Amino acid sequence: MPPAEAADPSTEVEVSALLERGRTLATPVLRAAVDRLAPPMDTVAAYHFGWIDAEGNPADGDGGKAVRPALALLSAQAAGRDPEVGVPGAVAVELVHNFSLLHDDLMDGDEQRRHRDTVWKVHGPAQAILVGDALFALANEILLELGTTEAGRAARRLTAATRALIDGQAQDISYEHRDRVSVRECLEMEGNKTGALLACASSIGAVLGGADDTAAEALERYGYHLGLAFQAVDDLLGIWGDPDATGKQTWSDLRQRKKSLPVVAALAAGGPASDRLGEILAEDAKSSDFENFSEEEFAARAALIEEAGGREWTAQEARRQHAIALEALDAVGMPPQVRAQFTALADFVVVRKR
Amino acid sequence: MPPAEAADPSTEVEVSALLERGRTLATPVLRAAVDRLAPPMDTVAAYHFGWIDAEGNPADGDGGKAVRPALALLSAQAAGRDPEVGVPGAVAVELVHNFSLLHDDLMDGDEQRRHRDTVWKVHGPAQAILVGDALFALANEILLELGTTEAGRAARRLTAATRALIDGQAQDISYEHRDRVSVRECLEMEGNKTGALLACASSIGAVLGGADDTAAEALERYGYHLGLAFQAVDDLLGIWGDPDATGKQTWSDLRQRKKSLPVVAALAAGGPASDRLGEILAEDAKSSDFENFSEEEFAARAALIEEAGGREWTAQEARRQHAIALEALDAVGMPPQVRAQFTALADFVVVRKR
C-alpha cells in the first residue's frame, strides 16, 4: 500500500522509531501517574502494565504496540507544536485504554492478556474493578490539572471517546447472546471499541496544542478509520494469525465464538459455504463440548469462512478503511514529514502480523 | 445543637424543603443524562436509581436523602448566584456517587440497597461494572460540555474527590482482612469514602458560580467534616438504628463484621469490656457459623461496645465534626439565610434516624 503522496527520501519514516519515541516520552509520565495510586492499587496497576510480575519483582513486560502514544505526539506536531505538548494526552489515552482492558477482561472472563494472567485472575475481581476506576480517574486528573482551556477541551473529547468505548463493550456483550449480528452492527461496535479511542489519540496532541475544531475533527476521522482498519486486521489475526506472533491460541476468536468481521461477513454473503457455516455455528452455540473441539474442527470452520468470502471481504475492508483514514489528512494543513509519519503508522497498522 | 448564629424567624429553615428543591431541580437533568446511555445501560441505570423495577415497570423508588444535590445548589448561592447554577454540579456529584455504589456493591457482595436487590444481583456483574463506568464518564461529560473555565475547575475537583472515593474503598477492602484497624485509619477511610464527595457537593455550585479557591476550599472543609459527622451517625445507626427506619437488619454492621467507628473506638479504649470485646471479635473472625448467630449474641456484642465507650465516643465525634464543619463557614462571606441553610443541613445530618 503506497503512501498517499510520493515519499521524499529526506522524510522517509521509521515506524519503529516513532513507536519508540512515544514509549520513551510517555512511559515515565505514565509511571509517575500510576505511582500516585494508594497501595495496593499502585502494585496492581504496575502488574497490569507489565512493570512487575505477580510476585512484585521488576519485570520488562510487553506493554503493547504503543501506537496510541505515538499518534498523540504526532498530532501535536500536526498542530505545529513540539511532540512533548502531546505527552499528557498520550498518557491520558493510555490510562483510559488500560482502564477498559482491566474491566473488559473481568466482564469477558478473559484469563490471559499480553502472555500473562489478567489482573482479576491474579489479584481478584475487586482489584480489577477498583484499579480500572482509578486509572480512569487518573486520566482526567492528568489532563485537567494542566488547567488550560485546551486541556478542558481535550478532557471533554476523551470523555466522549470513553463513553463510546463503554457503548462498544455493551454492544459486544449483547451480541454474544444473539444468533446473528449484521456487518453494520459489527462495524459500529468496532468503531466504538477501537475507533473512538484511536480517534482521540490521533487528535489529542493537536487539541492540547491549540488546534481548532476542524483540524481536530479531521484528525479524529483519520484515527477512527485507522481504528477500523486496525480492528479488521485484528479480526483476521484472531482467526488466521500465527500463534507465535500473536501470543494467542490458534483459531483464537473461533474458540471464543467471537462474531468478528470475517464471521459476520461470511454469514451475510449467502451461498452454500455461508449457509453451511450458519448451520454449523448454530449447532456450536448449543454444544456443551465446544471447548474440547479438535484443531481440525476449528480449521474446518475457518476454511468455510474463507470459502464464503469472509476473509477476503475483511482484508478488503481493512484497505478501504486505511484509504479513508489517509484521505482525512487532506483537511489538515500539516508539515509534509508529519503527514508522511501519519501515513507510515497507518501502513504499519494494516501490514502488522501481531 | 443550636445553629452557630441566633435564628432569625425570617430565615428559619425547612430542611425538607431544601432537600425537595435539590431533588426537583436535579432529577430531570439527571434523568436526561441517564437517557443518553445506550440500551441496555439506560434500563439498568434506571433500575439502580429506582425509576423502574426489575421488570422494567415505572417505580417510585427511594432515591436516597438527596443531601448532595441540596448542598450543590446551596453552594451556588454561597457564591451569590442562583441555585440553578449548581444544577450540573449536583447532577455530576450524584452520578459519581451512584457509580461508586454500583461498583462497591459488587466488590462487597452486597445484595440489597435501598430495600431492593442490587444491580449486580438483578442484571449481573458485567452490567454493574459497565453502567458504573458509564455514570462516571457521564459525570465528567455533564460538567465539561459546559465549556467554561469554571466547569474545568469543577471537573478537576470532582476528579480529585473521585480518586479519594476509590482510595477509601481500597482501604475499606484491605481493612476487612486485618484484625485491628486504628481509629485514625478508620477516620481516614471514612473521610475518603464519605467526606471527599460531600466536600465536592458543598463547593461545586460555588466553583461553577465563579467562587475563588479560598471560598471553594472553605466550603470543601465544611462538606468534608459534615461527611465525617454523617458517617459517625451512620456507624451508630448501623449498630443501634431502628430497622424500620434504616431499612437494614438489626445489628447490621455487626453482622457484616464491619470495623466501624464504634467498634474501633471500643477496641482502642482499653479496660475489661474493651479486652473482652477484642477476644470475642477475634473468635468471631474464625467462626464458620457466624451468620447464624442469634439476636442475643449480636446484642451482647453491641452491649460490650457500648460498655467500652464506643457508642458515646462516636456520638461525641459526630458532634465534634459537626462543630468543625460549621466553623469552616466563617471563612466564606455568604448571605445570612444561605449560611442558616448550611447550618440546618448539618444539624439534620447529625440528628437523622435513617
Side-chain angles (χ1 to χ4, degrees), chain B residues 275-296:
Chain B
D275 294 345
R276 181 81 193 106
L277 180 70
E279 290 160 21
I280 291 178
L281 294 186
E283 279 165 43
D284 289 354
K286 289 178 271 176
S287 166
S288 58
D289 192 39
F290 187 75
E291 273 139 54
N292 299 319
F293 278 17
S294 67
E295 284 289 310
E296 289 67 32

Side-chain angles (χ1 to χ4, degrees), chain A residues 38-297:
Chain A
M41 294 186 287
D42 51 352
T43 308
V44 175
Y47 172 79
H48 169 75
F49 282 105
W51 304 330
I52 58 173
D53 64 21
E55 284 72 44
N57 302 312
D60 193 14
D62 171 12
K65 286 169 284 291
V67 172
R68 289 174 201 80
L71 285 168
L73 304 195
L74 204 49
S75 84
Q77 294 179 284
R81 304 291 300 270
D82 289 334
E84 285 77 6
V85 169
V87 168
V91 171
V93 166
E94 278 305 272
L95 287 166
V96 165
H97 175 57
N98 284 283
F99 137 74
S100 80
L101 296 182
L102 279 163
H103 283 191
D104 288 1
D105 284 342
L106 175 59
M107 286 184 250
D108 300 342
D110 289 341
E111 302 188 354
Q112 291 269 313
R113 151 124 10 234
R114 297 171 191 154
H115 310 244
R116 310 159 75 224
D117 284 343
T118 46
V119 163
W120 71 266
K121 214 37 202 157
V122 176
H123 295 281
Q127 290 300 328
I129 297 172
L130 205 52
V131 175
D133 292 345
L135 296 185
F136 184 10
L138 265 185
N140 285 305
E141 199 169 301
I142 293 291
L143 289 176
L144 293 170
E145 70 190 8
L146 297 174
T148 61
T149 315
E150 288 76 24
R153 288 176 60 218
R156 186 179 169 187
R157 284 171 180 271
L158 180 62
T159 298
T162 309
R163 284 249 289 122
L165 211 62
I166 295 166
D167 284 354
Q169 172 68 2
Q171 290 165 326
D172 203 2
I173 291 174
S174 80
Y175 293 172
E176 271 171 37
H177 303 292
R178 282 168 41 181
D179 289 340
R180 284 285 172 119
V181 173
S182 71
V183 171
R184 191 191 55 74
E185 287 172 324
C186 188
L187 286 173
E188 193 186 313
M189 185 262 282
E190 296 191 342
N192 280 330
K193 277 197 89 160
T194 308
L197 198 59
L198 270 176
C200 189
S202 304
S203 58
I204 197 165
V207 173
L208 289 173
D212 63 18
D213 280 351
T214 311
E217 280 157 23
L219 289 169
E220 282 186 345
R221 210 153 51 240
Y222 161 87
Y224 184 81
H225 292 285
L226 180 64
L228 282 172
F230 181 98
Q231 195 54 54
V233 173
D234 223 53
D235 285 355
L236 290 170
L237 294 174
I239 300 180
W240 293 281
D242 174 3
D244 286 341
T246 62
K248 296 176 179 173
Q249 282 186 287
T250 53
W251 324 114
S252 163
D253 284 358
L254 296 182
R255 290 177 196 275
Q256 294 181 56
R257 305 179 210 226
K258 237 175 110 174
K259 294 182 185 75
S260 64
L261 272 186
V263 178
V264 299
L267 290 172
S274 174
D275 293 347
R276 180 80 193 107
L277 180 70
E279 289 161 21
I280 292 179
L281 295 185
E283 278 165 45
D284 288 354
K286 289 179 269 177
S287 166
S288 58
D289 193 37
F290 187 74
E291 275 139 52
N292 299 318
F293 277 19
S294 66
E295 284 288 310
E296 288 68 32
E297 285 171 297

Side-chain angles (χ1 to χ4, degrees), chain B residues 32-46:
Chain B
V34 166
D35 278 345
R36 295 186 194 179
L37 299 178
M41 295 186 287
D42 52 351
T43 308
V44 175

Side-chain angles (χ1 to χ4, degrees), chain B residues 90-139:
Chain B
V91 171
V93 167
E94 279 304 272
L95 287 167
V96 165
H97 175 57
N98 284 283
F99 137 73
S100 79
L101 296 182
L102 278 163
H103 283 190
D104 289 1
D105 283 343
L106 175 59
M107 287 185 249
D108 301 341
D110 288 340
E111 302 187 355
Q112 291 269 314
R113 153 125 6 235
R114 296 174 193 152
H115 310 243
R116 309 159 76 222
D117 285 343
T118 45
V119 163
W120 70 266
K121 205 58 192 145
V122 176
H123 294 281
Q127 291 299 328
I129 297 172
L130 205 53
V131 175
D133 292 345
L135 297 186
F136 183 10
L138 265 185

